[in-house]
Amino acid sequence: MTGATNDAPGRRTAGERYGETLFVRDTPEHRRLRLLGEVFDPLSIRTLDAIGVRPGMRCLEIGAGGGSMARWLCGRAAPAQVVATDLDISPLVAQPEENLLPLVHDVTLDDFPAHSFDLVHARFVLNHLPERDEVLRRIVRWLRPGGVLVVESFSWFPVDGSPDAGYRKVLLRWSELLRDTIGTDSRWARNYPSALAHHGLRDLGANTVTQHVRGGSDLADFWRLTVGMSKEQLLGKGYLSAKEYEEFAARMRNVDFWDLAPALTQAWGRKAWGRKAWGRK
Ligand SMILES: C[S@@+](CC[C@H](N)C(=O)[O-])C[C@H]1O[C@@H](n2cnc3c(N)ncnc32)[C@H](O)[C@@H]1O
């Protein structure tokens, strides 16, 4: 165990990146990304529908993963092109769409011209990037005036409050492993609206959805797979004992287990139209 506490979110001690030793792209990661889509797409779609995705909108899906949200955007924004980026675009290439442009693009390094997109969506991506604030600044530059940014990540408070010490400990230690290894911040999302305001976005909105996780459900499978992918590091680096890990996996399979899962926080904001709009209260 590193002895780390959760008081220094975003700190990177080992300097690794997403996908290097954690979330390595292989069969479990592809299955996990598919499950992620199945569980969270309905929540994302509800919010994007309320914001309004219309034919002709130029959309960017950042860190598209399995690609389910990018494909949904393709249906809504056609005939406009949807650009879907990731470090690994194989799931996007495997299921092409006429108006889908998969792009190998590291959002921390690679650019787009200013004012390229009407809508930018990034789900479960910014929380994993230590330079998230700078990334946000660049994303806002890529929006055209009047364009909308929608960001989504987990909020950890339902886990902090769980009376089940075993369940709580495994998820907290897992989030500490991610923080210490790749700089993930599992607590940033609750302040998304302030971050969007800081970068000049207007017409802000936010929503947090808490869900129950029941053992044996898709959501439980998602968390079992997600934590399971880091088993070697969790046990090898002393974050958890094998017993604690196995008991968590058993809970996620037990249909009598119920608790609150990490919540989904969604936030959105619009880029101001011009000088007048910037001066508006
Ligand atoms: C937890 S997955 C989420 C996938 C997808 N957004 C979803 O919600 O279904 C995070 C995704 O971000 C991608 N990613 C991580 N770092 C990235 C970077 N620097 N630039 C672009 N994509 C990145 C990963 O490869 C992975 O597909």
Side-chain angles (χ1 to χ4, degrees), residues 120-191:
V120 178
H121 177 235
R123 185 177 68 185
F124 306 131
V125 182
L126 295 180
N127 50 312
H128 292 302
L129 306 173
E131 53 281 87
R132 52 191 71 84
D133 194 54
E134 170 59 14
V135 169
L136 209 42
R137 187 189 67 75
R138 294 170 64 240
I139 293 174
V140 170
R141 205 181 132 260
W142 302 336
L143 276 178
R144 71 154 178 80
V148 176
L149 169 62
V150 182
V151 284
E152 306 184 83
S153 294
F154 289 123
S155 281
W156 226 243
F157 63 88
V159 176
D160 296 331
S162 172
D164 182 331
Y167 170 74
R168 192 174 66 233
K169 180 172 180 182
V170 170
L171 286 177
L172 290 178
R173 286 287 150 82
W174 176 78
S175 79
E176 288 172 10
L177 169 71
L178 262 60
R179 179 200 63 196
D180 297 343
T181 312
I182 58 176
T184 300
D185 185 349
S186 306
R187 292 166 196 280
W188 193 54
R190 62 192 298 154
N191 294 320

Side-chain angles (χ1 to χ4, degrees), residues 43-44 46-52 119-122 136 143 147-152 189 192-197 200-209 264-271:
L43 304 177
S44 302
R46 197 166 67 197
T47 292
L48 285 165
D49 260 342
I51 289 167
L119 175 78
V120 178
H121 177 235
L136 209 42
L143 276 178
V148 176
L149 169 62
V150 182
V151 284
E152 306 184 83
Y192 265 153
S194 311
L196 300 188
L201 295 185
R202 299 295 174 95
D203 301 338
L204 300 169
N207 186 40
T208 290
V209 187
L264 176 71
T265 290
Q266 314 172 306
W268 54 91
R270 189 177 299 281
K271 187 163 174 175

Side-chain angles (χ1 to χ4, degrees), residues 226-247:
T226 297
V227 173
M229 283 188 70
S230 315
K231 179 180 175 183
E232 205 177 295
Q233 291 94 331
L234 283 167
L235 272 51
K237 294 182 180 175
Y239 285 81
L240 288 177
S241 69
K243 183 167 179 282
E244 288 166 332
Y245 172 82
E246 294 306 339
E247 284 175 358

Side-chain angles (χ1 to χ4, degrees), residues 39-40 43 154 157-159 161-163 167 171 208-223 251-252 254-264:
V39 173
F40 293 102
L43 304 177
F154 289 123
F157 63 88
V159 176
S162 172
Y167 170 74
L171 286 177
T208 290
V209 187
T210 46
Q211 290 177 293
H212 277 87
V213 54
R214 180 186 192 179
S217 64
D218 282 351
L219 185 55
D221 271 358
F222 166 76
W223 280 111
R251 278 177 176 85
M252 293 299 104
N254 176 1
V255 293
D256 293 327
F257 174 83
W258 289 87
D259 205 325
L260 288 179
L264 176 71

Side-chain angles (χ1 to χ4, degrees), residues 17-18 25 32-33 36-37 61-66 85-88 105-108 123-125 128-129:
R17 307 295 298 181
Y18 187 104
R25 282 295 180 105
R32 193 181 77 89
L33 289 173
L36 188 63
E61 175 74 17
I62 295 176
T85 67
D86 208 300
L87 304 174
D88 174 350
H105 181 281
D106 182 336
V107 72
T108 65
R123 185 177 68 185
F124 306 131
V125 182
H128 292 302
L129 306 173

